Amino acid sequence: MNTGPQNDWFDKDFYKTLGVSKDASGAEIKKAYRKLARKYHPDANPGDEKAEEKFKEIGQAHQVLSDKESRAQYDQVRAMGGGARFSAGAGGPGGAGGGGFDDVFSDLFGGGGRTRTRTTYGGGGDVPPDLADLLGGFGGGFGGGGYGGYQPPVKGGDIKSSTTLSFTEAIDGASVKLNMPGGKPLTVRTPIGVKDGQKIRLAGKGKASPNGGEHGDVILTVHVKPHPVFTRDGDNLRMELPISFDEAALGAEIKVPTLGGMPVKVKVAPGTPSGRTLRVRGKGVKTKKGTGDLLATVEIVAPKNLSKEAKQAVESFKAATEGEDPRAGLLDKAKAS
């Protein structure tokens, strides 16, 4: 037989746990609970397992005694059973070990005598007569919904936190120390390739349950600082790649920086225009799914200060390409649209 959490009612003195008398009023119970809860709260006793266990016991006691119906049922059970437990098997009903239904219900059937009228049911076990009616008087019996006002343990609350990483730390992953309520820091490792604004759930690192349930979670929001050269596009990295006019016109092999690594050489084809994107494979963001690429968008930079010789060279180039018009047809296209 599964008696559920109510089996504790035979063993635990909830009045003693809260430090109140059995005749205490609801207000006295509430006041005692609040005082003890503040004293033993996990946030006030970080890392103290005994305080955390005490906090759970206080929560359970208050859960039962703060509700009139569950308190009345608890008082009935305690008065009836003393410190005895329901048991099964050898120590259960009809077994040799005693301490089962016979002990608990002795006063109800024959004033303490050992003679019983038994009824056999289902699987062949013996139970006292009218047991279903007797247990029904205590808030619906065992299992199922439990005793009247009893509530199952609830999960503790979540804690929201945030951290700021450099662009490189976000790509590579980093160890972060978080300041938690109660003063005890929490060190976590961020995932590789975490994105700006991404939320990370740290299971079981949040607030303690008020009545013995699971701890809540920590919800960590990650902010990423911008990089002076690179931006992120999914698992790819993007950058603007300045090149000179002669490199664009004649073609060249130039060095391109990578994030946290040695530069790589990239070929620029002759006649490369501004806006063309060059792809460097395998130099993007590394994730469990794979590694992205580095996408370098070409930007032709015109010289601001020309020497006399350079100016003459440009003028000579202009004369040599006089018949070429990069805007040919542009006006006609504009009118057509």
Side-chain angles (χ1 to χ4, degrees), residues 166-226:
S166 70
F167 192 86
T168 303
E169 287 175 332
I171 299 298
D172 297 337
S175 292
V176 178
K177 185 174 289 187
L178 306 177
N179 294 323
M180 305 300 290
K184 186 178 182 181
L186 173 66
T187 301
V188 298
R189 181 77 183 177
T190 61
I192 294 175
V194 65
K195 299 178 181 178
D196 183 45
Q198 183 173 335
K199 296 183 184 299
I200 302 171
R201 181 178 293 273
L202 307 172
K205 301 298 183 180
K207 297 179 181 178
S209 166
N211 62 347
E214 297 179 358
H215 277 62
D217 304 331
V218 170
I219 310 299
L220 176 63
T221 302
V222 177
H223 302 289
V224 181
K225 295 179 181 178

Side-chain angles (χ1 to χ4, degrees), residues 241 266-268 272 276-280 294-298:
L241 179 62
V266 175
K267 288 185 177 181
V268 177
T272 295
R276 177 174 291 179
T277 298
L278 309 178
R279 183 182 295 269
V280 184
L294 173 61
L295 306 176
T297 301
V298 169

